Amino acid sequence: MAEKKYVYPFEESYGLGKELLGGKGAGLAEMIHIGVPVPEGFTISTEACTLYYDSGKTIPEFVRNQIFEAIARIERSTGKTFGGSTNPLLVSVRSGARVSMPGMMDTILNLGLNDVTAAALAKETGNERFALDSYRRFILMFTNIAKGHPRTDMDKMLEALKEERGYKLDTEVTTEELKVLVAKYKEYYKTVFGEEFPTDPKVQIMEAVAAVFRSWDNPRANTYRQMYGIPYSWGTAVNVQSMAFGNKGETSGTGVAFSRNPGTGEKAISAEYLPNAQGEDVVAGIRTPLHIEELKARMPEVYEQFVQTITKMEAHYKDMQDMEFTVEDGKLYFLQTRNGKRTPAAALKIACDLVDEGVIDEKEAVLRMDPVAFDKLLLPGFNKDELAKATPIATGLAAGPGAGTGAIAFSAEEAEARKNNGEKVILVRAETSPEDIVGMVAAQGVLTMRGGMTSHAAVVARGMGKCCVCGCTAAIIDEEKRTLTIGDKVYTDKDIISLDGSTGKVYEGAIKTVEPDLTSGYFGRLMGWVDQYRQLHVRTNADTPRDAKQARVFGAEGIGLCRTEHMFFAKDRILSMRKMILAETVEEREAALAEIEPMQQADFEALYETMLPFNVNVRLLDPPLHEFLPQEEELVKELADAVGKSVAEVKDKIANLHETNPMMGHRGCRLAVTYPEICKMQTSAIIKAAIAVSARTGKAIEPEIMVPLVLEERELKFVKNIIAETADKLIAEAGITMNYHVGTMIEIPRAALLADEIAEHAEFFSFGTNDLTQMTFGFSRDDAGKFLPSYYDAKILEEDPFKTLDQNGVGKLVTTAVKLGRATRPTLHIGVCGETGGEAKSIEFYHKAGLDYVSCSPFRVPVARLAAAQAAIKNPR
Ligand code: ADP
Ligand code: MG
Ligand code: MG
């Protein structure tokens, strides 16, 4: 039987897809296909990674054989020999997952070097320095990446040498010195591992490949994966590629290029170049690279080819490209291309520009927007007047969007801890590495001293939509002493600074921020397309006129969930509420409720007026009553005095209301069943408010009344009767006609399963996915945080089911309820009002399930509109 293929030469793999080849491998194959100069190589597929884990973390013999066949193939076409004493073949071993995970996976360069091949390389190139420099780098990378040993000691050896000689740059180190350094590195390797550095390139390569597979499971990769919801099962591919040397001398170099500006979206190549260097030097931010003009000045013909190739690649991929290139002795190679990460503002401009250039259509432009970063467009910038008055203390590269103000934090842990204490911080680092991701998440912005537009900090910040200024060389950051020095001023963790991610300027002190413009310009244009293509309506969860107004600005089409409990907590109301709870008789209770009713009515009037012409859906009181009662001695006393009871009596009542499991206790419509007066009062406030606003504005109001936590047809019928009796009477008294709608939340699994019966009495359903998830999983949302991390680590769950709908389980209840409900009542109006209503993946599911709308917090409304449009474009219904 022929063995399954796990290894694909680049020239043969075009079109096999990212799933199999990883993003980098697929990109290399495609570049070759369109005629871009790329060094030869092959891809070991993602299936081989899975096989590696399935085989107890070993690479099976037949995969190994396929790898060596592929190397033999490169040997034949390049005339070089792997491990040869003449014309040796050197390769890089590069990871490449399906989607790019910057900095997560490690690459080893110059593999194949040993004393013999290094000598051959020196002789054949006539450049011993270059050979030794490559060898040095290889030993370091092999030790660090393949063997997982920290590079600190080796880095220190180089630093010590430079310091001793007074060198500033690595390139100043002489050939003789490099020779000594290589010997030291090898000796160090032997001390650490108790064996010689492996000289056999075959051993080297197998170790390197296994290391890439292993890195798929390292903590940094796991963090990134969780953050972006990348499934563990995907695995990573490995690319083995013949080396192009950028460190051969002054006619060599390496760099990175974007076909458009990733910060602003401006249509101009944005590139950086580092002469006499190897790829990792640019990305690591060790030396700050030069402007691409440097390449133009040094080698105009190479530059010309560079520009042409980039133009060709952008035209081919129809999107802004992020590319790596290397010049070896005046010959240009491209090592990688991918759709470039960009700030949300750049994404918006590029999408609109590409439509205008006729490269993509409007639907494609909508699909291009990343819903995860989209809400960053709603981020504030600095107030222009305040900004004009502020004097920048330093300027770096404008690497990430928005504006950020906060106190200085010097490490990721510190940033995270202080953020958790409610402080706003700016993470300040000499340069960032993947370990800093948690700190970047926690910070309002990131400032680095070293590194260019493609340094780790810049790439990750843009991906997160985080404000970032990098390569700010005037800012001397001492992480050990915990100081930031600019000029002769020293800043500490007590000081506040402000960063402008769109100009790269750093300011002392806090600067006021302002909201962005959402109706005109690129944003307005894109949202126009979004609203044209989406089929789901987007409502908001709001219970104050302020939130409702904000949501209207963001494009909400009504309120999908108005929680009424918040309305009882105001200082002047809570006492009436408490009186109501403590009441012994229906009469007492009604008297207390009568105090609350006009306040509720006023709230609803304000909401109706703010939302006109859209509907407002009010949910009847939901939480257990004990939540409204005081705990502190003083407040208990105050309450006792107010209701003319003893402190002991009040305490007794509080104790009585205590529940072991309040989430499953006396709450939701159970309150309406036991205390119909509450339901009557709320209905009355809802209807009276509608009558009043109708009269005032001359516009029809159609209140929607939502009964929470229903589990049974008869239960809903019982509550609905109370509502109807109250509402019909008020409407009749007013002598007007008014449509109002009574529906239910579906948030108990039983209700979803019996949705056909429940729909007899419900005009609408709204899925409350917070409770539905909690009850379906059988774990409490408030406690799940304690054990969910272990579930992620053990890969039992990959995502927080409270943020992203669990499509398998909870989703099945949703689709079941939709089907059953509509079978009974074809006109049933269906929405969702849980937290997942504002999350893109969940929204796609709701679109496919045939819902009419989603409802989410005001700030998520634009994202939900976008996600709804993307879902509709991808899955027309
Ligand atoms: P990353 O995903 O971290 O960017 P890469 O695999 O792209 O990792 O490699 C790191 C650096 O090494 C990049 O700058 C890349 O261009 C360079 N590089 C990788 N393979 C080669 C090669 N065969 N020849 C020259 N440079 C290479
Ligand atoms: Mg790369
Ligand atoms: Mg609920």
Side-chain angles (χ1 to χ4, degrees), residues 174-443:
T174 69
T175 309
E176 283 314 306
E177 287 158 355
L178 279 172
K179 210 178 267 174
V180 177
L181 201 58
V182 164
K184 272 197 181 162
Y185 276 11
K186 282 198 290 190
E187 220 175 83
Y188 176 78
Y189 185 96
K190 198 173 163 187
T191 327
V192 171
F193 299 106
E195 59 187 30
E196 297 289 341
F197 186 78
T199 50
D200 182 352
K202 288 192 170 176
V203 173
Q204 294 173 352
I205 196 166
M206 292 315 293
E207 287 226 29
V209 172
V212 176
F213 287 156
R214 273 202 307 276
S215 72
W216 178 247
D217 197 24
N218 76 25
R220 304 180 306 185
N222 285 329
T223 304
Y224 191 89
R225 245 200 314 278
Q226 258 167 36
M227 229 167 82
Y228 289 92
I230 300 167
Y232 179 73
S233 63
W234 281 5
T236 179
V238 185
N239 301 289
V240 176
Q241 188 172 26
S242 157
M243 284 302 302
F245 292 106
N247 55 338
K248 253 187 176 175
E250 290 309 306
T251 53
S252 302
T254 187
V256 247
F258 292 92
S259 58
R260 299 183 190 225
N261 187 309
T264 63
E266 189 202 344
K267 190 181 179 185
I269 291 175
S270 151
E272 294 168 329
Y273 182 67
L274 206 51
N276 196 11
Q278 251 185 358
E280 31 137 28
D281 297 352
V282 183
V283 189
I286 291 166
R287 277 159 62 193
T288 302
L290 308 175
H291 197 262
I292 191 68
E293 289 298 313
E294 194 67 21
L295 176 63
K296 192 176 181 180
R298 286 170 187 232
M299 293 178 278
E301 277 150 40
V302 174
Y303 180 78
E304 192 48 41
Q305 191 197 354
F306 168 79
V307 172
Q308 275 171 15
T309 314
I310 288 177
T311 311
K312 178 170 167 180
M313 281 204 262
E314 202 195 76
H316 174 77
Y317 286 99
K318 301 184 193 305
D319 197 5
M320 188 262 271
Q321 294 299 294
D322 166 0
M323 296 151 288
E324 293 169 358
F325 65 97
T326 287
V327 183
E328 175 177 339
D329 259 347
K331 172 144 178 41
L332 175 68
Y333 293 97
F334 280 83
L335 276 311
Q336 186 176 340
T337 191
R338 60 185 171 205
N339 294 338
K341 288 206 189 297
R342 59 203 82 180
T343 61
L348 189 58
K349 175 166 163 56
I350 291 171
C352 291
D353 286 353
L354 288 174
V355 170
D356 291 339
E357 291 162 30
V359 179
I360 60 173
D361 62 14
E362 295 168 2
K363 285 186 183 173
E364 181 61 28
V366 169
L367 290 177
R368 289 280 171 92
M369 300 306 297
D370 172 11
V372 176
F374 196 67
D375 55 5
K376 302 303 183 307
L377 285 171
L378 317 173
L379 286 181
F382 285 131
N383 171 294
K384 286 216 166 59
D385 294 337
E386 281 209 9
L387 191 64
K389 274 183 252 149
T391 322
I393 47 174
T395 303
L397 299 169
T405 292
I408 299 174
F410 290 95
S411 73
E413 302 78 67
E414 181 188 345
E416 202 188 20
R418 289 172 66 182
K419 147 103 200 275
N420 289 342
N421 276 332
E423 208 181 339
K424 287 190 169 161
V425 295
I426 300 282
L427 178 65
V428 170
R429 304 279 294 161
E431 60 201 77
T432 66
S433 66
E435 286 80 17
D436 290 315
I437 287 185
V438 280
M440 297 180 69
V441 173

Side-chain angles (χ1 to χ4, degrees), residues 677-715:
E677 316 75 73
I678 305 180
C679 174
K680 271 186 216 156
M681 180 281 281
Q682 290 203 294
T683 304
S684 168
I686 292 167
I687 299 297
K688 282 185 188 163
I691 293 171
V693 174
S694 264
R696 240 187 343 262
T697 61
K699 306 238 169 67
I701 307 278
E702 286 193 25
E704 297 175 10
I705 302 176
M706 182 152 74
V707 184
L709 222 69
V710 162
L711 48 81
E712 163 64 45
E713 172 206 3
R714 278 165 296 188
E715 184 191 36

Side-chain angles (χ1 to χ4, degrees), residues 110 113-115 117-119 121-122 125 127-139 174-183 185-186 247:
N110 309 328
L113 280 173
N114 52 34
D115 290 352
T117 52
L121 192 65
T125 57
N127 189 340
E128 191 179 11
R129 189 190 183 286
F130 149 72
L132 286 164
D133 184 49
S134 306
Y135 196 12
R136 171 190 79 75
R137 289 165 188 271
F138 172 55
I139 299 172
T174 69
T175 309
E176 283 314 306
E177 287 158 355
L178 279 172
K179 210 178 267 174
V180 177
L181 201 58
V182 164
Y185 276 11
K186 282 198 290 190
N247 55 338

Side-chain angles (χ1 to χ4, degrees), residues 619 622 663 667 708-709 745 747 768-772 774-775:
R619 178 178 71 182
D622 184 48
M663 290 317 284
R667 56 171 288 226
L709 222 69
M745 291 191 71
E747 49 188 343
T769 51
N770 299 347
D771 268 314
L772 189 58
Q774 140 166 288
M775 308 236 191

